[in-house]
Amino acid sequence: MKSKFTYLFIFLFSVICTSSYAQTTKEAKKMYKNENKHNAVVDKQVHKKASKEARKDAKRLARQGYMVPVGKIPMEKQLERAWRMQYELTPDHTPKYLLGQANSVAGNQNAAKMQATNLAKLELVGQMESQLAQMIEMKVNNQEMTTEEAATVTSMVSSSKTLISGKLGQVIPVVEIYRQLPTGNFEVQITLGYDTDEALHLTKDAIRADLNKQSEGLGEKVDAIL
């Protein structure tokens, strides 16, 4: 009798568990479906806004005499990509990409492009520095880092801008346009994109060794921040 009761209890328990699992799975699928539907709506809205802003910018820049180099995609498409990257977020709702933009004037187009590219990279590093500064401030407020340590890290990042800029890896060319000025010189506008997570890893790798030279263990503090 006891054995029959045990088997019955096991059977009922397994039925309950199976039913509970099925219900949980059903709810999870529903949440996933709703999330995908929401993301699709957001993507559609972003695409619509990006297209609208890109058309407006393209007309304005064309009136200013800007053109697209031979072999590059149309200006409007380049600008639309820039707008979309600006709006794109990670699952944590933080910007997925950093965008650096710069203009430069030189006697020929290639020289202006090179200068603008270098300036755009420095702009990217400047944004990386700003993000790091926000993280440091939060750590100091939470008493996870002293004010002296924070000052040392901030100073090191600021002085390492050129070094970090030279180590930028997979930079994404987003916009490249140019115009010839009445003086005969060329003005080139460059916009570069960089993955935010990769940017933070690069910043960490670039300054960790130098920080450890200044104060033992400080590099590990940077690892914790980033």
Side-chain angles (χ1 to χ4, degrees), residues 12-76:
L12 291 175
F13 180 76
S14 64
V15 169
I16 293 172
C17 289
T18 302
S19 176
S20 177
Y21 173 77
Q23 181 66 25
T24 302
T25 303
K26 183 178 180 180
E27 291 176 356
K29 288 181 177 179
K30 184 177 180 180
M31 289 177 61
Y32 182 75
K33 183 178 180 180
N34 289 338
E35 183 177 355
N36 282 346
K37 186 177 180 180
H38 172 73
N39 290 340
V41 172
V42 172
D43 287 343
K44 186 176 181 179
Q45 292 174 343
V46 167
H47 179 75
K48 183 178 180 180
K49 184 172 179 61
S51 298
K52 181 180 179 180
E53 296 292 347
R55 284 194 299 271
K56 185 167 62 176
D57 285 349
K59 290 178 180 179
R60 173 178 57 82
L61 291 167
R63 285 196 299 268
Q64 295 175 5
Y66 279 99
M67 299 175 286
V68 174
V70 177
K72 300 293 182 179
I73 63 176
M75 188 187 306
E76 185 177 319

Side-chain angles (χ1 to χ4, degrees), residues 20-212:
S20 177
Y21 173 77
Q23 181 66 25
T24 302
T25 303
K26 183 178 180 180
E27 291 176 356
K29 288 181 177 179
K30 184 177 180 180
M31 289 177 61
Y32 182 75
K33 183 178 180 180
N34 289 338
E35 183 177 355
N36 282 346
K37 186 177 180 180
H38 172 73
N39 290 340
V41 172
V42 172
D43 287 343
K44 186 176 181 179
Q45 292 174 343
V46 167
H47 179 75
K48 183 178 180 180
K49 184 172 179 61
S51 298
K52 181 180 179 180
E53 296 292 347
R55 284 194 299 271
K56 185 167 62 176
D57 285 349
K59 290 178 180 179
R60 173 178 57 82
L61 291 167
R63 285 196 299 268
Q64 295 175 5
Y66 279 99
M67 299 175 286
V68 174
V70 177
K72 300 293 182 179
I73 63 176
M75 188 187 306
E76 185 177 319
K77 292 298 182 183
Q78 292 189 42
L79 296 169
E80 181 178 336
R81 186 184 186 191
W83 277 104
R84 285 181 63 84
M85 291 176 71
Q86 183 175 330
Y87 292 138
E88 191 167 352
L89 302 176
T90 66
D92 297 328
H93 302 288
T94 58
K96 182 174 176 58
Y97 296 103
L98 300 176
L99 292 178
Q101 180 182 322
N103 288 50
S104 185
V105 177
N108 62 73
Q109 187 177 337
N110 288 334
K113 176 184 176 179
M114 184 178 299
Q115 293 172 13
T117 299
N118 290 334
L119 290 173
K121 288 182 178 181
L122 288 175
E123 171 66 19
L124 285 174
V125 176
Q127 294 183 39
M128 293 157 63
E129 180 183 12
S130 297
Q131 285 202 341
L132 183 60
Q134 292 175 4
M135 294 179 186
I136 291 173
E137 182 180 1
M138 183 172 61
K139 290 289 183 179
V140 172
N141 291 338
N142 293 336
Q143 297 184 341
E144 298 176 42
M145 195 177 200
T146 67
T147 305
E148 292 75 16
E149 289 173 337
T152 303
V153 174
T154 302
S155 175
M156 180 58 66
V157 175
S158 181
S159 63
S160 301
K161 278 186 176 181
T162 303
L163 174 64
I164 298 172
S165 175
K167 291 188 175 182
L168 288 175
Q170 296 297 320
V171 177
I172 305 170
V174 183
V175 175
E176 181 185 342
I177 56 178
Y178 77 99
R179 64 178 175 177
Q180 189 167 14
L181 302 173
T183 59
N185 291 331
F186 287 84
E187 182 176 11
V188 174
Q189 182 181 123
I190 294 289
T191 301
L192 302 176
Y194 205 81
D195 183 90
T196 302
D197 288 339
E198 289 185 18
L200 291 176
H201 286 307
L202 176 64
T203 305
K204 177 180 66 177
D205 293 341
I207 67 175
R208 185 196 301 144
D210 288 336
L211 288 172
N212 277 329

